[in-house]
Amino acid sequence: MQTIDALDSTLRNYLSPEQTNHVKRAYYFAEQAHYGQLRRSGEPYITHPLAVAGILADMHMDHQSLMAAMLHDVIEDTGIEKSAIGNQFGPTVAELVDGVSKLTQMEFGSLEEKQAENFQKMALAMARDIRVILVKLADRLHNMRTLGVLKPEKARRIARETLDIYAPIAMRLGMNNVRMEFEDLGFAALYPMRARRIDAALRKARGHRNELVEKIGHQIETTLEQEGHHVEIVGRQKHLYSIYKKMKSKRKSFSEIMDIYAFRIIVDSVDTCYRVLGSIHSLYKPVPGEFKDYIAIPKSNGYQSLHTVLMGMHGVPIEIQIRTRDMEDMANNGIAAHWLYKSDGQSSNGSHARARQWVQGLLEMQQRAGNSLEFIESVKIDLFPDEIYIFTPKGRIMELPKGATAVDFAYSVHTDVGNSCVACRINRRLAPLSETLQSGQTVEILTAQGARPNPSWFNYAVTAKARTNIRHYLKHQTREDSITLGRKLLEKALLSLDTSLEQLPEGKLQDYLTLHNYDEFDDLTADIARGNKLPAITAQQLTSQVSGDMLRRGEAEPVAIRGTEGFMVSFAKCCHPIPGDPIEGYLSSEKGMVVHRETCNNLNDLKENRERLVALRWDDEVEGEYAVELRIEVENRRGMIATLATRINSMGVNIEKISTEDKDYQFTFVDLEMMVEGRVHLARIMKRLRIIKSVHRVQRVKN
Ligand code: MN
């Protein structure tokens, strides 16, 4: 069992006395905080944080990481607050401890593969300081080493999680030693029988092989020494889990896998790597296709080495890895090795800066190798994610770009959900769709039948999927609306010529479309609705009748407006027509059909373009609410506006705009814009307003 004194002497090897004291202070603080708590094994709780710090000290991690390791369970298990840790040990250590606690609170459970990968990324994304991950990995490693004391069910859950989440994270960070230990311990806990069987077979095989291994090793060593290379040769043993995985994935028998002898040759320089490779290849014949140069082209986590397979005596395959001491450290400790190299006695210059340096190192390595930078992307994305990870209410994880909002999330769940969303809950709190999401949040989308995408979503939707869908929907909607309206207008124009689409001479319509470069009839009607083509003239051309009357509005029925035409019909802001008002349409080339009141002054000005005017009427089944303006003259009295607004609201009417203008010392004008169903509705409202005391006059605004 580790003691603080033993740790102390390890720390003095690479930390300053002051830093060592900081770590010890954190230890005593934690010991006090966990006082009286025991681990399941019966040991005092403090043995756990101490062991976690010990693991990190072996990696030569900086003093702040070690302090965080000492304190990592304090927030979670003793009720001491983050702020208290901040006061004692500074904000950085408090952030680290808090980050580790947050990861600890996430229970991953068993997951499908895709989800597991997202969880790994989520964990990385949530840890703003990469050291949080390193402390968490060390914490998990100690827990895995002491898994035996837990109830089998809990042990299995933790083992599963370790294999699914933490071993891959260790791999992403290039921490191979940690990863292999995770895998072997996890494998042994999950499949004790299989692990025991492989382990026993392994021991037996080793006994038989030892002699041969020694012989081969000796031969290699002698050859290299004769050629003047001073190297270290290590016989490699495969770890349990990798044997198991190979047996499973490559369908090989245990003896097939074990019939391979593996050595690692550690040398002093990159140059030597290649020269040693040459010597080895002249000693035994290399197996074609098995040579890999991971020095020139490192693996995405920074792993570098030469790999080759030789055909040894009696046809035994021999796997050889050749690498420098630095590469060996990198292969074993990955990102943690970076701390080992760069710790220069100074206090940490920001962990992200360090992680960035690590990534930068990988990048330079790659550039020297002279190939594409793509490979680095995977590492960079993991450490400095441009993605966020969001839970659905059912616990599925969705990956979204940074800055994504609930609208993006809705569309990533399903296009229909996006198209009909109206609001959302973020971590159960009602929130607007525009809110920017953060990794780890649970988001639930509220939808409503008949809801439509809103053009304003463009202001905050960031994903291509959301934007394309919103655009597509709006455009499609606009087009459908305009086709319907254009067809109505054309039919009406034809009617005034005593004909109809059905009655047109055979082929006439098709000829017309061809002549005017329309692919289909819908394109023509859409053009009519947009005001690019005048219905009367089109009708005339279609029937080949020319007469002066054509340009006049015919006797035919006016076009009926239902209020459901959508984007292609709008209501003029100058006169605010409402159902019941006599109306007339103006076909604008930008806005499509604009509905005015017949008495509107603007309409009079527009009458110069009479071919653009369209006779309209309200449909009998008109729907929706329409804006209308009222001017109310009231006595100057406190609370008058509130009285008015309350009265209007009590009738279920929405006020869109409200403003006031003083008339004289006695009276004020209140100008209101509100939404009504039509003239009858408006009359009822005006009546209710007139009976308010102090209301002098209520008038609808005419322009
Ligand atoms: Mn712990």
Side-chain angles (χ1 to χ4, degrees):
M1 198 176 78
Q2 193 150 15
T3 62
I4 185 65
D5 292 333
L7 183 66
D8 180 79
S9 52
T10 311
L11 296 185
R12 288 190 187 281
N13 286 332
Y14 75 99
L15 294 181
S16 72
E18 198 195 344
Q19 289 169 337
T20 305
N21 283 339
H22 282 312
V23 177
K24 284 169 79 174
R25 213 157 52 79
Y27 167 81
Y28 290 117
F29 185 94
E31 187 183 43
Q32 188 97 97
H34 289 294
Y35 183 77
Q37 294 177 352
L38 297 179
R39 297 208 90 206
R40 259 196 95 82
S41 61
E43 293 165 302
Y45 196 88
I46 189 65
T47 56
H48 167 62
L50 182 61
V52 174
I55 290 170
L56 293 170
D58 289 341
M59 299 178 190
H60 286 205
M61 289 296 298
D62 67 303
H63 70 287
Q64 289 179 324
S65 304
L66 297 178
M67 291 163 77
M70 291 296 188
L71 300 163
H72 81 270
D73 280 329
V74 160
I75 293 183
E76 183 82 346
D77 291 349
T78 73
I80 286 173
E81 288 189 12
K82 180 183 168 189
S83 57
I85 294 178
N87 291 338
Q88 279 287 324
F89 303 102
T92 308
V93 173
E95 278 301 328
L96 290 174
V97 174
D98 190 49
V100 177
S101 302
K102 286 212 174 94
L103 280 181
T104 306
Q105 282 160 10
M106 286 170 81
E107 286 218 349
F108 300 103
S110 173
L111 300 157
E112 6 167 339
E113 204 172 319
K114 174 83 185 129
Q115 290 292 289
E117 192 184 327
N118 277 342
F119 251 122
Q120 298 155 24
K121 292 186 188 166
M122 185 185 231
L124 289 168
M126 283 175 67
R128 263 171 297 170
D129 188 324
I130 195 72
R131 289 177 294 177
V132 167
I133 296 287
L134 300 181
V135 175
K136 184 65 204 168
L137 291 177
D139 171 41
R140 178 50 61 107
L141 190 56
H142 184 245
N143 283 336
M144 287 300 290
R145 285 176 183 170
T146 53
L147 205 57
V149 295
L150 295 183
K151 286 194 188 126
E153 201 184 316
K154 189 166 185 205
R156 291 174 60 84
R157 186 183 66 72
I158 291 179
R160 175 89 268 161
E161 194 180 279
T162 302
L163 286 181
D164 285 348
I165 311 291
Y166 290 104
I169 289 180
M171 178 140 97
R172 279 165 193 272
L173 298 178
M175 302 168 72
N176 244 334
N177 284 353
V178 173
R179 175 187 63 104
M180 288 196 295
E181 198 175 343
F182 274 157
E183 288 183 345
D184 278 351
L185 292 169
F187 176 54
L190 272 184
Y191 308 107
M193 295 291 281
R194 274 174 256 191
R196 231 172 293 149
R197 229 177 299 138
I198 293 178
D199 190 45
L202 201 57
R203 279 170 207 282
K204 203 170 140 206
R206 265 179 212 146
H208 292 196
R209 287 158 34 107
N210 266 349
E211 202 183 322
L212 192 54
V213 168
E214 231 160 77
K215 214 165 159 186
I216 298 172
H218 188 69
Q219 203 161 16
I220 295 174
E221 203 171 353
T222 326
T223 309
L224 292 179
E225 230 149 64
Q226 277 166 2
E227 305 197 5
H229 301 304
H230 297 286
V231 301
E232 184 188 332
I233 298 184
V234 191
R236 277 194 309 126
Q237 302 192 343
K238 288 201 161 28
H239 72 301
L240 288 187
Y241 190 62
S242 80
I243 294 171
Y244 170 70
K245 267 201 303 199
K246 267 201 182 135
M247 286 170 69
K248 223 174 121 181
S249 69
K250 300 201 171 157
R251 302 190 168 280
K252 285 188 173 174
S253 71
F254 177 76
S255 59
E256 274 175 291
I257 291 166
M258 283 312 292
D259 274 349
I260 296 169
Y261 295 80
F263 295 91
R264 182 173 305 149
I265 304 176
I266 295 166
V267 304
D268 53 3
S269 73
V270 174
D271 224 42
T272 317
C273 289
Y274 290 100
R275 276 189 279 127
V276 163
L277 179 78
S279 306
I280 296 278
H281 278 179
S282 62
L283 179 63
Y284 296 117
K285 205 173 147 69
V287 177
E290 293 286 346
F291 169 65
K292 292 191 185 79
D293 187 346
Y294 292 119
I295 293 181
I297 304 170
K299 288 193 184 179
S300 62
N301 58 12
Y303 176 87
Q304 285 190 297
S305 193
L306 297 178
H307 287 190
T308 186
V309 179
L310 310 168
M311 204 47 90
M313 317 170 262
H314 320 301
V316 189
I318 306 167
E319 280 182 8
I320 304 275
Q321 299 176 343
I322 306 167
R323 58 176 78 145
T324 65
R325 173 67 55 196
D326 285 4
M327 293 174 192
E328 168 80 352
D329 277 333
M330 194 64 167
N332 291 336
N333 295 318
I335 194 169
H338 191 81
W339 264 268
L340 185 81
Y341 283 124
K342 300 289 157 74
S343 62
D344 39 18
Q346 290 175 10
S347 66
S348 164
N349 56 338
S351 134
H352 260 74
R354 292 246 176 143
R356 250 175 239 284
Q357 277 169 21
W358 181 64
V359 171
Q360 189 60 36
L362 297 187
L363 197 65
E364 278 163 16
M365 201 147 78
Q366 199 60 12
Q367 277 165 342
R368 275 202 305 277
N371 56 26
S372 98
L373 305 180
E374 266 169 47
F375 108 110
I376 202 74
E377 284 306 312
S378 65
V379 187
K380 219 168 65 188
I381 284 165
D382 290 347
L383 291 181
F384 313 110
D386 294 322
E387 276 86 37
I388 54 166
Y389 300 90
I390 302 296
F391 287 104
T392 68
K394 286 186 179 161
R396 209 148 62 90
I397 302 170
M398 314 293 289
E399 181 183 311
L400 290 168
K402 227 180 205 166
T405 56
V407 169
D408 296 300
F409 174 80
Y411 275 103
S412 76
V413 171
H414 196 279
T415 307
D416 291 343
V417 174
N419 281 336
S420 59
C421 66
V422 289
C424 67
R425 286 202 184 89
I426 297 176
N427 292 343
R428 292 166 176 249
R429 163 184 59 88
L430 210 58
L433 290 169
S434 57
E435 192 159 313
T436 309
L437 304 176
Q438 313 286 340
S439 268
Q441 288 176 331
T442 301
V443 178
E444 181 191 351
I445 295 295
L446 309 178
T447 59
Q449 227 173 17
R452 293 170 158 203
N454 189 317
S456 72
W457 292 355
F458 267 120
N459 298 332
Y460 46 82
V462 301
T463 55
K465 184 169 184 197
R467 295 185 72 85
T468 313
N469 274 305
I470 298 166
R471 193 178 300 120
H472 179 259
Y473 186 93
L474 292 177
K475 204 162 136 196
H476 189 70
Q477 201 58 38
T478 315
R479 183 169 158 83
E480 257 179 21
D481 289 345
S482 56
I483 288 168
T484 315
L485 174 69
R487 192 183 170 104
K488 256 196 215 170
L489 293 170
L490 181 61
E491 275 172 345
K492 188 200 139 224
L494 286 169
L495 199 62
S496 68
L497 299 175
D498 277 327
T499 182
S500 68
L501 281 170
E502 288 72 34
Q503 285 171 300
L504 288 178
E506 187 80 19
K508 188 79 196 171
L509 184 59
Q510 193 48 53
D511 290 348
Y512 180 90
L513 294 178
T514 316
L515 186 67
H516 291 85
N517 286 325
Y518 287 109
D519 288 338
E520 50 176 356
F521 181 55
D522 284 350
D523 294 337
L524 170 64
T525 49
D527 240 12
I528 291 174
R530 288 192 198 106
N532 297 335
K533 259 266 164 335
L534 297 174
I537 292 172
T538 310
Q540 191 186 316
Q541 288 167 333
L542 273 172
T543 52
S544 309
Q545 296 176 40
V546 182
S547 110
D549 285 351
M550 292 304 74
L551 295 175
R552 272 210 315 271
R553 277 171 289 134
E555 301 294 298
E557 263 287 278
V559 178
I561 295 294
R562 281 191 75 152
T564 52
E565 287 81 2
F567 297 92
M568 289 317 294
V569 169
S570 59
F571 299 90
K573 299 257 189 307
C574 46
C575 54
H576 289 300
I578 61 172
D581 290 335
I583 47 175
E584 191 158 3
Y586 180 78
L587 211 44
S588 146
S589 53
E590 296 119 46
K591 298 181 214 154
M593 171 92 82
V594 183
V595 180
H596 290 265
R597 284 159 78 180
E598 241 176 33
T599 52
C600 177
N601 292 334
N602 287 346
L603 194 65
N604 274 332
D605 298 342
L606 293 172
K607 279 187 175 155
E608 286 169 17
N609 275 324
R610 51 195 309 245
E611 71 280 1
R612 289 188 176 268
L613 293 174
V614 183
L616 297 179
R617 68 175 176 85
W618 294 102
D619 195 284
D620 296 337
E621 317 240 301
V622 68
E623 290 173 22
E625 292 189 322
Y626 301 82
V628 69
E629 280 182 311
L630 288 187
R631 169 159 270 204
I632 305 165
E633 203 178 317
V634 297
E635 276 174 36
N636 284 329
R637 202 157 62 68
R638 272 177 63 113
M640 214 27 235
I641 304 236
T643 310
L644 272 179
T646 313
R647 177 63 58 95
I648 292 167
N649 279 334
S650 74
M651 289 183 278
V653 174
N654 274 337
I655 298 174
E656 298 288 302
K657 278 180 204 155
I658 187 161
S659 60
T660 59
E661 190 188 315
D662 287 337
K663 186 190 176 200
D664 50 39
Y665 74 96
Q666 200 186 352
F667 292 105
T668 299
F669 293 124
V670 179
D671 292 319
L672 283 174
E673 187 183 313
M674 55 193 191
M675 303 302 286
V676 300
E677 286 157 19
R679 284 180 77 120
V680 179
H681 188 201
L682 177 63
R684 220 164 50 224
I685 295 164
M686 289 168 75
K687 205 166 137 194
R688 292 283 302 273
L689 292 176
R690 284 192 183 113
I691 57 176
I692 300 175
K693 219 179 117 205
S694 314
V695 168
H696 187 65
R697 183 184 289 160
V698 181
Q699 263 185 306
R700 182 172 174 194
V701 176
K702 300 195 186 98
N703 69 326

